[in-house]
């Protein structure tokens, strides 16, 4: 009988671990469901719009508010973001839209003037509909500073700053906190491109600084 006790203990521990895992998973999904229901009933004031970098951020939790929608589109170029702007942003009539994109275009070797035209269209369309755009810089990748990718990121961010200056639109330099020496910080990324939790916390601080000036 004594020999059975260790096996019974092991089985009990395994069953408890499975039970706890199920409870945790259920709690996470339940929390998401509750937040989604609250979001659906709350006026949308803020839209986070961009590619997978935006998509992977839990912006309601990061910003501690339910009036924000994450409309990040995994893998999208600026051309694709432009094509769904009406459905993903304008129909929600937010007061402000934080825009991010461009790195997928650069990876696909789309010419910078084409990316600029896509961004210009989106910014002008948002302004036309009374939505304040906040243009966020395209992030560097975690590769050597002399890489062609980061050189193009540099060139495109200059274009973005100029476009914003001409329209009186806020330009938010994400690279000021998330990058060093024109390279995405190694300690805040997962695969040279996407951010980990530390990265999103830094990004959050820059967004919060902008929101502090708003009355919503």
């Amino acid at each position: 009988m004594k020999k059975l006790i260790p096996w019974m203990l092991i089985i009990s521990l395994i069953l408890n671990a499975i039970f706890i895992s199920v409870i945790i998973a259920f709690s996470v999904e339940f929390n998401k469901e509750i937040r989604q229901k609250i979001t659906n009933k709350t006026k949308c004031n803020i839209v986070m719009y961009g590619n997978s970098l935006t998509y992977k951020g839990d912006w309601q939790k990061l910003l501690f508010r339910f009036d924000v929608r994450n409309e990040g589109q995994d893998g999208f170029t600026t051309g694709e973001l432009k094509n769904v702007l009406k459905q993903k942003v304008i129909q929600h009539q937010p007061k402000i839209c934080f825009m991010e994109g461009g790195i997928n275009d650069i990876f696909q070797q789309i010419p910078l003037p084409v990316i600029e035209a896509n961004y210009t269209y989106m910014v002008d369309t948002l302004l036309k509909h009374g939505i304040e755009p906040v243009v966020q810089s395209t992030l560097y990748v975690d590769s050597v500073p002399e890489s062609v990718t980061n050189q193009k990121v540099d060139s495109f961010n200059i274009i973005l700053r100029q476009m914003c200056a001409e329209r009186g639109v806020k330009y938010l330099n994400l690279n000021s906190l998330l990058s060093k020496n024109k390279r995405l910080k190694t300690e805040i990324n997962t695969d040279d491109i996407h951010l980990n939790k530390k990265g999103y916390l830094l990004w959050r601080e820059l967004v919060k600084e902008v929101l502090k000036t708003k009355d919503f």
Side-chain angles (χ1 to χ4, degrees):
M1 186 69 179
K2 291 183 179 179
K3 293 182 179 180
L4 294 176
I5 293 176
W7 285 108
M8 291 174 64
L9 180 61
I10 292 172
I11 292 171
S12 176
L13 290 173
I14 292 173
L15 290 174
N16 284 335
I18 293 172
F19 177 74
I20 292 171
S21 298
V22 170
I23 291 296
I24 291 174
F26 176 78
S27 297
V28 170
E29 289 304 316
F30 187 66
N31 183 39
K32 287 181 180 178
E33 184 178 343
I34 290 176
R35 280 197 281 153
Q36 187 59 50
K37 286 182 178 179
I38 295 174
T39 299
N40 291 340
K41 296 180 180 180
T42 303
K43 170 71 172 73
C44 173
N45 287 320
I46 306 161
V47 168
M48 306 298 295
Y49 193 53
N51 53 38
S52 58
L53 287 162
T54 295
Y55 172 76
K56 292 177 182 293
D58 189 349
W59 292 104
Q60 287 186 348
K61 189 174 181 180
L62 285 164
L63 298 173
F64 304 107
R65 45 196 303 172
F66 290 106
D67 62 342
V68 53
R69 293 186 67 92
N70 184 344
E71 291 294 349
Q73 307 299 311
D74 196 6
F76 270 36
T77 62
T78 56
E80 291 170 311
L81 290 171
K82 179 188 74 172
N83 291 338
V84 297
L85 183 69
K86 183 176 181 180
Q87 304 96 293
K88 298 300 181 180
V89 181
I90 294 172
Q91 75 164 354
H92 300 300
Q93 279 300 295
K95 293 182 178 178
I96 192 168
C97 176
F98 289 84
M99 305 170 62
E100 168 273 323
I103 193 62
N104 291 325
D105 303 68
I106 290 172
F107 285 150
Q108 295 183 29
Q109 298 185 20
I110 296 173
L112 296 188
V114 174
I115 314 175
E116 178 185 8
N118 293 333
Y119 241 112
T120 300
Y121 173 87
M122 288 190 286
V123 168
D124 288 345
T125 301
L126 291 175
L127 289 171
K128 179 181 176 182
H129 285 84
I131 301 169
E132 178 184 352
V134 175
V135 176
Q136 301 171 110
S137 62
T138 300
L139 284 175
Y140 294 117
V141 296
D142 189 11
S143 58
V144 291
E146 63 269 26
S147 73
V148 173
T149 298
N150 283 340
Q151 287 177 11
K152 288 185 176 179
V153 168
D154 245 349
S155 298
F156 185 58
N157 282 332
I158 291 172
I159 292 171
L160 285 181
R161 283 197 298 270
Q162 181 62 33
M163 180 192 67
C164 290
E166 291 173 354
R167 289 164 174 76
V169 167
K170 174 71 177 177
Y171 174 80
L172 193 58
N173 185 7
L174 301 184
N175 287 312
S176 64
L177 279 185
L178 277 64
S179 299
K180 185 177 181 181
N181 297 325
K182 297 187 177 183
R183 177 176 176 175
L184 186 64
K185 293 178 180 177
T186 301
E187 64 271 21
I188 67 166
N189 78 72
T190 60
D191 57 2
D192 294 345
I193 302 168
H194 297 99
L195 303 175
N196 59 24
K197 184 177 179 180
K198 291 181 180 179
Y200 281 108
L201 290 175
L202 290 174
W203 188 347
R204 183 263 304 273
E205 291 308 306
L206 291 170
V207 172
K208 285 174 66 177
E209 283 300 312
V210 175
L211 294 176
K212 281 180 182 178
T213 66
K214 309 301 175 185
D215 59 356
F216 54 83

